[in-house]
Amino acid sequence: MTQDTTRPDAIVARGPDLTDLIDRLVRHDVVHRSLYTDPALFDLEMLRIFGGTWVYLAHDSEVPAPGDFVRRQMGRRQILIVRTEDGGLRGLLNRCTHRGTTLVGEDGGCAKRFVCPYHGWSFGLDGRIQNLPVPDSYDRLYERPFDLGQVALATRAGFVFGTLAAEPMEIDTWLGAAGPWLDQHAARYPGGRMGVQRRRLTQEYGANWKMSWDNAADGIHATFAHASYNHLGKEADTDTVLARNPADTPMVSKTLGHGHCVVDQRPGIPDGPWSTMRPLPTREALEDGLRAKGVTDPATWDLMTGDMVNLSIFPNLIFVGNQMMVVEPVALNRTRLRFYLTHAPDAPEEIDLMRLRVDEDFLSFGTPDDFEMFERVQEGLAVEEEEWIDISRGDGAGDVLGADGLVTGTVASEAPMRAYLAEWKRLMARPIPTTIRRARIEDSRFMQTIRRREMAKKGA
Amino acid sequence: MTAAAHPAATQAVIDRYDALRAMVDRALAAPAGDAAATARAAPVLEAEARLVDARAYGAWLDLFTADACLWIPLHPDDHPARDQALAFDDRRRLSERAWHMHDRQAWAVTRPRPLTLRHLGPVAAWPEAEGWLATCALSLTHVRRGPPVRLAGRQVVALRDTDAGPRITAKVLLLPELTLGTPHLGWIM
Ligand code: FES
Ligand SMILES: [Fe+2]
């Protein structure tokens, strides 16, 4: 391992070994409040979780043509996901290698190259430095590592993940049992073609980012926290899935390894997802339009709403309804959620017109109540003397441990919480070796010079 | 895709969306307001803001026609047929918002109930083939729990004369802050 951080190929494991502390904080049946209240742990999360493991960054379809890029967040780092001339993808750090200026100020666009506005250095789509004004002002320019820093990328079913880990797990190994669920999600779109809306909705709550994970597979809260939304459904004679008695719903939650989990609501709705939809603006007209086109296939109608499978890929991707909800920690007690609405470009046009309106419903009448709960939990956790939060629900009381080590439970089970915290523990306990990739570290003249010097030293 | 390819019902939705976008463009590029049109429209805009702040939702809803809509795009350039929005409400959903604000289990908008203040800038309005088009800048303040939420923006409103006087047929709220992100806006209407 090259720990000299002045070298561009440095592999550095940052921060202390916290194995003992982490073991004390996360027990099998309880978790310590400091996971939500300790700024030092938050800082480490930005390194080890949002950097040391795979993080969802973008969907392949968002950058279809060479030069297309989107700007995304990976912990505290801005990453440009760029389609290169050869059709590949790069994850470039949005950070000029001269003094650090961010190269791009927009959320996305199309570029021929990235030119730094400060002193005019320019970089190719693959991150290589292309030009810098007054090059003679450097004594040995070839020795300087001026190509843009990059993260490693891997794609599954069009979903693009990135990491700074020096030796990341194979993406399919890391996704594990969640991989086929992701494939299944993508396969639902006609022609396997899923699109992502250019405009994303951004909302913030005043609480720790892990509240989203405590909530992601929490089937009980829907009946209580979302009581108002459910009553709206009743007023409209539509029994929303959430309104049912959680104790006798056949829905199941499953842990999928590495913190991922899924709640499958389909067993609870034999008539399919569309049957759960409330009246919505434009709904009647678009249904008429679909009927006029002779579309009767239930799968196409169901495509107007989510698939009733709540898949969560730790640490930052949660599928809800027609949206991908991406979790961006901003501060210990502040979290930004990005809602990316997906669409079905190869389906009848009515489908996407309807999808535009579907998720506004829950965002108006449901999501605010989730945020309210997260913020009130954060307030409650300020009590220092109440140190522990119970996470034992379901354990020995309904959870079924499979031969694969994964747990299936009722929607009341807190197995998904215990599972993501186990992954949190794995990542947080010890420093994770990370490295910045660069376009041509290995064959750069810089590296050749370094090697030559090292050989000379050995010879001497 | 050509317009002719759509069934009539679908086409009606698309036409409505196109008309809304065109209405916003018209208002933003219009010359100085027409005095007579402004005199008719301004009291309605004032009443709408005051009634919703006062939680007088019955009287507030009465200001909207049965076919009215509220559109809150995420970006001022967006199109309702192509872009995800914060809200696109028909009259039924508007009445649900009103109901929700009084529901004691709507945790995010009750106990304590929100105190809001909509402050309108000068109204400009123009006569249209049917009714009037009006616009004004506005600021919204929301106080409840935690820090106050303050938003500035512009509203574009279409009105039509009815037996009961001028009524709102469409309201569009342009809020630049939505492009960066906000706390939840469960109270907005
Ligand atoms: S900081 Fe980018 S060119 Fe100087
Ligand atoms: Fe929820």
Side-chain angles (χ1 to χ4, degrees), chain B residues 137-141 149-154 173-178:
Chain B
L138 81 166
S139 68
L140 298 100
T141 302
V149 179
R150 293 197 178 85
L151 301 170
R154 169 170 294 282
L173 265 182
L174 305 175
L175 301 169
E177 219 158 325
L178 294 182

Side-chain angles (χ1 to χ4, degrees), chain A residues 197-199 203-204 224-225 228 231 278-279 281 285 289 323 349-350 356-357 360 364 369 372 375 379, chain B residues 1 6 9-10 17 78 80-84 88 92-93 96-97 100 103 105 107-108 144-145 181-182:
Chain A
Q197 284 268 314
R198 65 166 180 165
R199 204 66 81 194
Q203 291 198 333
E204 293 185 2
F224 301 94
S228 185
H231 288 144
R278 304 190 326 110
Q323 290 168 318
E349 198 176 6
E350 285 78 5
L356 282 169
R357 302 283 79 90
E360 289 162 7
S364 298
D369 291 325
E372 176 80 4
E375 291 174 358
E379 283 177 356
Chain B
M1 222 175 284
H6 301 302
T10 308
Y17 286 156
D78 282 356
R82 285 191 288 277
D83 297 299
Q84 171 177 209
F88 186 99
R92 187 195 52 78
R93 203 192 252 164
E96 283 184 345
R97 284 189 198 276
H100 185 70
D103 182 10
Q105 287 181 306
W107 314 110
R144 185 175 163 265
R145 205 177 48 75
T182 63

Side-chain angles (χ1 to χ4, degrees), chain B residues 49-174:
Chain B
R50 175 168 43 80
L51 291 170
V52 73
D53 284 341
R55 300 167 68 84
Y57 298 120
W60 173 75
L61 273 170
D62 283 346
L63 291 177
F64 292 83
T65 59
D67 60 350
C69 69
L70 164 69
W71 176 40
I72 311 178
L74 295 177
H75 191 287
D77 297 342
D78 282 356
H79 191 293
R82 285 191 288 277
D83 297 299
Q84 171 177 209
L86 178 72
F88 186 99
D89 292 0
D90 53 11
R91 164 88 192 213
R92 187 195 52 78
R93 203 192 252 164
L94 281 179
S95 62
E96 283 184 345
R97 284 189 198 276
W99 179 88
H100 185 70
M101 293 298 285
H102 278 306
D103 182 10
R104 282 174 60 80
Q105 287 181 306
W107 314 110
V109 292
T110 186
R111 297 197 270 174
R113 67 182 168 85
L115 303 173
T116 63
L117 184 78
R118 287 158 173 85
H119 181 92
L120 304 189
V123 175
W126 303 268
E128 295 246 287
E130 237 190 302
W132 306 273
L133 176 64
T135 183
C136 66
L138 81 166
S139 68
L140 298 100
T141 302
H142 168 271
V143 175
R144 185 175 163 265
R145 205 177 48 75
V149 179
R150 293 197 178 85
L151 301 170
R154 169 170 294 282
Q155 60 178 353
V156 177
V157 179
L159 304 105
R160 186 169 70 212
D161 215 1
T162 71
D163 293 344
R167 291 290 179 266
I168 297 169
T169 59
K171 171 175 156 179
V172 182
L173 265 182
L174 305 175

Side-chain angles (χ1 to χ4, degrees), chain A residues 13 26 60 241 243 245 391 400 422:
Chain A
V26 183
D60 193 66
V241 255
N245 179 358
I391 52 168
V400 178

Side-chain angles (χ1 to χ4, degrees), chain A residues 277-401:
Chain A
M277 261 310 109
R278 304 190 326 110
L280 296 167
T282 74
R283 174 177 172 171
E284 282 173 29
L286 294 174
E287 285 188 334
D288 285 349
L290 271 182
R291 274 186 225 107
K293 283 184 177 174
V295 178
T296 52
D297 170 28
T300 306
W301 282 69
D302 286 346
L303 206 51
M304 289 193 280
T305 184
D307 54 4
M308 299 296 158
V309 174
N310 298 90
L311 176 64
S312 304
I313 309 288
F314 187 78
N316 72 333
L317 176 60
I318 299 174
F319 291 87
V320 275
N322 290 329
Q323 290 168 318
M324 291 187 283
M325 185 168 88
V326 176
V327 182
E328 294 182 6
V330 178
L332 179 63
N333 55 3
R334 213 168 125 226
T335 303
R336 189 176 291 143
L337 295 181
R338 307 280 199 182
F339 296 87
Y340 295 88
L341 178 63
T342 62
H343 58 255
D346 291 346
E349 198 176 6
E350 285 78 5
I351 302 297
D352 282 347
L353 284 169
M354 193 72 258
R355 287 173 77 92
L356 282 169
R357 302 283 79 90
V358 167
D359 294 74
E360 289 162 7
D361 213 43
F362 196 73
L363 273 161
S364 298
F365 304 115
T367 309
D369 291 325
D370 283 324
F371 284 21
E372 176 80 4
M373 298 310 142
F374 300 167
E375 291 174 358
R376 285 167 68 163
V377 171
Q378 191 77 31
E379 283 177 356
L381 293 181
V383 181
E384 289 195 42
E385 296 75 10
E386 289 270 37
E387 295 190 37
W388 298 97
I389 303 156
D390 193 283
I391 52 168
S392 71
R393 203 166 185 165
D395 188 30
D399 284 0
V400 178
L401 179 65

Side-chain angles (χ1 to χ4, degrees), chain A residues 212-284:
Chain A
S212 286
W213 286 92
D214 298 339
N215 185 63
D218 180 335
I220 294 285
H221 89 285
T223 308
F224 301 94
H226 299 310
S228 185
Y229 177 73
N230 299 331
H231 288 144
L232 278 183
K234 288 220 175 88
E235 299 256 301
D237 283 336
T238 313
D239 201 7
T240 68
V241 255
L242 305 184
R244 298 170 188 184
N245 179 358
D248 52 47
T249 166
M251 303 177 197
V252 289
S253 79
K254 285 185 180 137
T255 68
L256 301 172
H258 294 125
H260 317 316
C261 70
V262 68
V263 176
D264 192 350
Q265 303 182 42
R266 291 171 304 180
I269 40 168
D271 296 332
W274 189 242
S275 69
T276 68
M277 261 310 109
R278 304 190 326 110
L280 296 167
T282 74
R283 174 177 172 171
E284 282 173 29

Side-chain angles (χ1 to χ4, degrees), chain A residues 53-56 156 161 169-182 213 216-217 253-263 310-319 405-407 415-424 426-427:
Chain A
T53 187
W54 294 107
V55 171
Y56 173 74
R156 168 90 177 235
F161 300 86
M169 203 180 281
E170 283 292 322
I171 189 80
D172 292 335
T173 311
W174 172 73
L175 282 168
W181 286 97
L182 207 51
W213 286 92
S253 79
K254 285 185 180 137
T255 68
L256 301 172
H258 294 125
H260 317 316
C261 70
V262 68
V263 176
N310 298 90
L311 176 64
S312 304
I313 309 288
F314 187 78
N316 72 333
L317 176 60
I318 299 174
F319 291 87
L406 304 177
V407 178
M417 271 177 88
R418 293 190 293 276
Y420 97 74
L421 286 167
E423 177 70 355
W424 185 92
R426 181 182 78 83
L427 294 165

Side-chain angles (χ1 to χ4, degrees), chain A residues 158-205:
Chain A
F159 299 91
V160 182
F161 300 86
T163 183
L164 283 161
E167 285 177 27
M169 203 180 281
E170 283 292 322
I171 189 80
D172 292 335
T173 311
W174 172 73
L175 282 168
W181 286 97
L182 207 51
D183 299 341
Q184 182 188 308
H185 185 87
R188 182 171 180 250
Y189 295 82
R193 225 154 72 81
M194 184 188 102
V196 178
Q197 284 268 314
R198 65 166 180 165
R199 204 66 81 194
R200 59 186 178 183
L201 169 68
T202 304
Q203 291 198 333
E204 293 185 2
Y205 58 80

